[in-house]
């Protein structure tokens, strides 16, 4: 049997922090630490979030700059610029809530939570993640019902002349992805000995902190 040395322990901690961080650590390249199909799903959602956020921000910047150039150089604004930016804001917002959940960036009221010993904190974190997931799935359902109502009304955007409900499809999608992220966080806390704020973020404020 190989003895456990300080170097071995340090390498184990380093391996842990290579794939996870704490809630004050900078956000880096994401790679899921969940096993099997759960990890595949987690990575796929992460890629989709990144694409939606990057595309939304870049398109909004390009649209705004083009509109400013058109207004002050060619004396003619882009007639659909405001509506397009409104659509992009919806995409960024509801992709962003899932992204923030993945990286443990949502605001938390943690005074009671931080005062608890590790084991009760872990139980409470699993409960919080499950309850939040249920609420997110519920909001996704109600948002879907709202979109179906809007689709039945047949309203169009004045400039783009596209159905209003097309601009809202990202709302239930974002709620669903956020709920799925919190569900995966609950599963991560069940199968791992540490306390996780998300599937990739350890609870704590020190990059080397590890709760067992």
């Amino acid at each position: 049997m190989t003895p456990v040395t300080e170097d071995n322990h340090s390498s184990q901690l380093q391996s842990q922090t290579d794939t996870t961080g704490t809630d004050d650590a900078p956000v880096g390249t994401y790679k899921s630490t969940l096993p099997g199909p759960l990890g595949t799903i987690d990575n796929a959602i992460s890629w989709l979030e990144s694409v939606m956020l990057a595309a939304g921000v870049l398109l909004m910047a390009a649209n705004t700059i083009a509109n400013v150039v058109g207004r002050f150089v060619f004396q003619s604004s882009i007639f659909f610029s405001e509506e397009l930016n409104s659509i992009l804001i919806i995409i960024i917002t509801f992709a962003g809530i899932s992204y923030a959940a993945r990286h443990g960036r949502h605001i938390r009221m943690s005074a009671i939570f931080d005062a608890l010993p590790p084991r009760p904190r872990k139980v409470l974190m699993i409960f919080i993640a499950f309850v939040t997931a249920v609420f997110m799935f519920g909001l996704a359902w109600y948002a879907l019902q709202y979109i179906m109502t809007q689709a039945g009304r047949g309203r169009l955007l004045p400039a783009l002349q596209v159905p209003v409900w097309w601009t809202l499809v990202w709302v239930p999608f974002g709620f669903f992805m956020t709920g799925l992220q919190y569900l995966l966080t609950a599963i991560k806390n069940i199968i791992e000995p540490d306390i996780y704020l998300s599937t990739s973020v350890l609870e704590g404020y020190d990059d080397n902190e590890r709760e067992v």
Side-chain angles (χ1 to χ4, degrees):
M1 180 180 295
T2 304
V4 178
T5 64
E6 183 65 27
D7 289 341
N8 288 338
H9 182 65
S10 298
S11 64
Q12 289 174 358
L13 288 178
Q14 180 62 39
S15 176
Q16 180 77 6
T17 55
D18 283 343
T19 54
T20 60
T22 52
D23 50 350
D24 66 340
V27 176
T29 303
Y30 183 80
K31 184 176 181 182
S32 178
T33 57
L34 289 168
L38 292 177
T40 302
I41 294 171
D42 198 23
N43 284 326
I45 296 174
S46 175
W47 178 84
L48 187 58
E49 290 166 356
S50 299
V51 169
M52 290 174 65
L53 286 170
V57 171
L58 291 174
L59 285 173
M60 181 179 291
N63 178 51
T64 302
I65 293 171
N67 192 44
V68 171
V69 171
R71 179 180 300 170
F72 290 100
V73 177
F74 301 103
Q75 305 303 314
S76 177
S77 299
I78 300 175
F79 70 95
F80 58 81
S81 180
E82 184 177 350
E83 289 182 359
L84 180 57
N85 272 353
S86 296
I87 296 170
L88 293 173
I89 287 173
I90 294 173
I91 294 174
I92 293 169
T93 299
F94 287 94
I97 59 173
S98 179
Y99 182 89
R102 173 181 307 283
H103 294 283
R105 299 301 188 186
H106 280 300
I107 295 173
R108 297 181 295 131
M109 301 302 224
S110 59
I112 297 175
F113 180 88
D114 290 342
L116 295 174
R119 184 55 62 89
R121 286 213 311 273
K122 187 173 185 65
V123 173
L124 184 57
M125 179 56 67
I126 293 171
F127 175 77
I128 290 171
F130 267 126
V131 170
T132 306
V134 170
F135 272 98
M136 291 297 104
F137 289 138
L139 288 172
W141 170 256
Y142 282 112
L144 184 60
Q145 298 304 306
Y146 177 75
I147 289 175
M148 293 174 64
T149 300
Q150 291 295 321
R153 292 174 178 172
R155 293 175 55 201
L156 301 176
L157 291 175
L160 291 173
Q161 288 297 298
V162 298
V164 171
W165 70 269
W166 286 13
T167 70
L168 302 174
V169 294
W170 311 105
V171 178
F173 184 70
F175 280 135
F176 179 80
M177 288 201 304
T178 306
L180 192 57
Q181 185 59 44
Y182 276 108
L183 180 61
L184 291 174
T185 299
I187 295 172
K188 179 78 172 182
N189 278 288
I190 291 173
I191 64 178
E192 295 285 347
D194 300 317
I195 303 172
Y196 283 84
L197 299 179
S198 72
T199 55
S200 62
V201 179
L202 284 165
E203 182 267 333
Y205 300 98
D206 183 351
D207 288 348
N208 294 321
E209 180 172 341
R210 189 165 186 261
E211 296 284 358
V212 178

